[in-house]
């Protein structure tokens, strides 16, 4: 994950969904490097570290996220929170889990001096592309989850704040172990 190597240690890195599979690894890596980390998650965080602050949030509204970010000196956001749903209302559920949370987070950090905003996405935005994809491919999502992640990508790439000079979308198809190791 080249974006993680590029982050600098000034300020705090906010990790949303930090208690999930990828989030735990990201947090551990940042803390090992001596960086301050603010975890925002739907679950209560039981991790303890002098450089770690954790806040439980629902990701339902910009105001809630703004309050959670208050006083944090956030400089970077690694946005991992999301979800995957199936069933009759899958598109609406996926949009709530992936798009609405991303837009609320973008809005919450808009007035902060955030230097980078990284969104974890998925290769499913390209549809049935096999095991490989490149950023120049035309998105052709074929699932409600793929559509919602593509919409979240558009929101991040459309960030128009002077502070958020860098927005990145990291796509992957799990398993990630080779890249994480």
């Amino acid at each position: 994950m080249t974006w993680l190597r590029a982050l600098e240690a000034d300020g705090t890195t906010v990790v949303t969904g930090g208690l999930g599979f990828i989030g735990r690894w990201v947090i551990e890596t940042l803390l090992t490097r001596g960086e301050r980390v603010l975890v925002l998650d739907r679950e209560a965080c039981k991790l303890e570290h002098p450089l770690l602050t954790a806040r439980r949030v629902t990701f339902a509204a910009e105001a809630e996220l703004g309050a959670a970010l208050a006083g944090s000196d956030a400089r970077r956001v690694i946005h991992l929170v999301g979800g995957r749903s199936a069933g009759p209302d899958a598109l609406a559920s996926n949009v709530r889990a992936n798009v609405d949370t991303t837009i609320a987070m973008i809005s919450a950090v808009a007035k902060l001096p955030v230097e980078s905003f990284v969104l974890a996405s998925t290769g499913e935005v390209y549809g049935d592309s096999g095991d490989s994809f490149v950023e120049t491919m035309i998105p052709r999502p074929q699932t409600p989850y793929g559509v919602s992640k593509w919409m979240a990508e558009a929101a991040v790439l459309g960030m128009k704040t002077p502070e958020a000079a860098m927005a990145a979308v990291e796509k992957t198809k799990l398993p990630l172990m080779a890249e994480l190791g």
Side-chain angles (χ1 to χ4, degrees):
M1 294 185 176
T2 55
W3 52 267
L4 189 55
R5 284 189 278 279
L7 297 176
E8 297 178 11
D10 293 341
T12 297
T13 300
V14 178
V15 181
T16 68
L19 302 179
F21 174 75
I22 298 170
R24 286 189 308 259
W25 177 87
V26 168
I27 290 167
E28 181 180 313
T29 300
L30 294 170
L31 292 173
T32 299
R33 291 171 30 175
E35 297 191 34
R36 289 189 310 274
V37 177
L38 171 59
V39 176
L40 302 181
D41 202 286
R42 292 182 182 107
E43 304 297 323
C45 180
K46 294 179 178 132
L47 302 173
E48 292 187 21
H49 191 282
L51 296 173
L52 177 72
T53 303
R55 299 197 175 119
R56 191 173 180 180
V57 296
T58 65
F59 295 97
E62 173 190 343
E64 174 201 32
L65 293 169
L69 292 166
S72 69
D73 80 335
R75 297 292 183 269
R76 293 159 302 282
V77 175
I78 301 175
H79 187 56
L80 304 174
V81 75
R84 182 184 196 116
S85 299
D89 69 337
L91 183 57
S93 296
N94 282 288
V95 166
R96 280 190 301 276
N98 299 308
V99 182
D100 294 352
T101 60
T102 300
I103 291 171
M105 195 65 200
I106 290 168
S107 298
V109 301
K111 294 182 176 122
L112 299 175
V114 170
E115 300 160 358
S116 62
F117 191 108
V118 176
L119 169 71
S121 190
T122 175
E124 284 191 42
V125 300
Y126 299 119
D128 188 15
S129 62
D131 289 331
S132 63
F133 51 86
V134 293
E135 295 294 324
T136 56
M137 292 174 67
I138 297 171
R140 289 190 172 90
Q142 298 174 358
T143 65
Y145 176 71
V147 169
S148 71
K149 288 304 242 181
W150 183 31
M151 292 168 67
E153 287 182 20
V156 170
L157 295 174
M159 289 174 68
K160 298 291 185 209
T161 65
E163 294 85 3
M166 183 181 93
V169 175
E170 186 78 18
K171 297 179 187 76
T172 188
K173 289 189 176 183
L174 291 175
L176 289 172
M177 296 314 293
E179 196 167 343
L180 295 178

